[in-house]
Amino acid sequence: MPLVALWAHGSLALGDYQPGRSDLDLVALVGTELDGAQQAELRAVHERLIADVPLARSLHCTYVPQGDTSDTARHHPTWAQGEWFERPVSPVSRRELALGAVVLHGPPPVGLLPGVSDQELAEFIRAELEDYWLPVTGNAKAELWLQDIWVDLGMLTFARASVTLRDGQLITKGEALEELRSMGAPTAVVDDIRRRRYGADLLKNPSASDDFRARRAEQARKFVRAGITTLLAEHGNPPPGPAHASRLTRRPPPPA
């Protein structure tokens, strides 16, 4: 399996990478279509990396065959969140790569991956908000928001989506925290997210009490739900069609 190029996007490309806390998001351009044996070998490589290097749990990589990049909806073999599955290279990921890919091997992605129009980016984000994030802010999913990951990604994704739909820009998670403050988000929730992402020593931070988690969950869920509802009303709904399978940003596994 010849490796043609290897690019990093996400927080590393946007200048907001936090060692030990951020995901390392990669796209590998490979010379040929991966057969079953090659995919099994790659999966085993990722599993060995995690066993040997704990930080490898945060390493995510999509493998795209060279010459098979024009179909932007096509699903490609991917290792992410400890699983091997298939997904497209999303419009957000392609925009991040175009803006500032960290080239780890081979040529840069410009000309090798399709560009992303502002319209395509906006339609993708609206679909993600409507099809994925809005449903998980409903009362039936309230317990999910007791978990740190749902609070963090729900709040940050909403803030980042708001900026992109407003002016076409992609912002970092750090910038999203400032955007949340300007939106009037609950101060205690924003401070809690910042502490866990940017605190000097995460291991020394005390665990939140059950009462705080319950208050935080309710505040975050209701804030995100109201914000998404308003945002979709302001920017219209995406055209009819299948829900996007790729991610706006890293998000938890789909809830049951």
Side-chain angles (χ1 to χ4, degrees), residues 3-13 17 23-29 46 49 58-63 97 100-110 112:
L3 179 64
V4 177
L6 184 63
W7 310 306
H9 60 101
S11 58
L12 189 61
Y17 182 78
D23 293 327
L24 179 57
D25 298 310
L26 306 177
V27 172
L29 188 67
H46 282 284
L49 275 174
S58 299
L59 189 155
H60 306 146
C61 189
T62 297
Y63 296 87
L97 287 165
V102 177
V103 179
L104 302 173
H105 175 76
V110 177
L112 294 175

Side-chain angles (χ1 to χ4, degrees), residues 127-225:
E128 285 277 293
L129 293 176
E130 184 172 45
D131 298 338
Y132 184 87
W133 282 104
L134 190 58
V136 299
T137 62
N139 291 334
K141 302 297 182 182
E143 288 191 5
L144 293 174
W145 293 78
L146 294 169
Q147 303 173 48
D148 293 345
I149 189 171
W150 287 93
V151 172
D152 293 2
L153 293 185
M155 296 283 285
L156 294 173
T157 295
F158 164 62
R160 298 173 83 180
S162 298
V163 172
T164 303
L165 291 179
R166 185 180 70 217
D167 58 25
Q169 300 298 311
L170 298 183
I171 62 172
T172 67
K173 291 180 178 178
E175 291 168 333
L177 286 169
E178 296 308 311
E179 184 70 17
L180 285 168
R181 291 191 188 281
S182 71
M183 292 174 166
T187 300
V189 177
V190 176
D191 288 345
D192 181 60
I193 297 171
R194 181 180 294 280
R195 173 184 61 80
R196 280 181 283 101
R197 181 167 176 81
Y198 298 103
D201 191 340
L202 185 62
L203 295 178
K204 291 182 180 180
N205 287 324
S207 299
S209 68
D210 290 344
D211 286 345
F212 175 77
R213 285 184 178 276
R215 291 194 304 272
R216 183 189 67 176
E218 191 71 359
Q219 290 175 339
R221 182 177 65 86
K222 288 185 174 180
F223 178 82
V224 173
R225 184 171 184 82

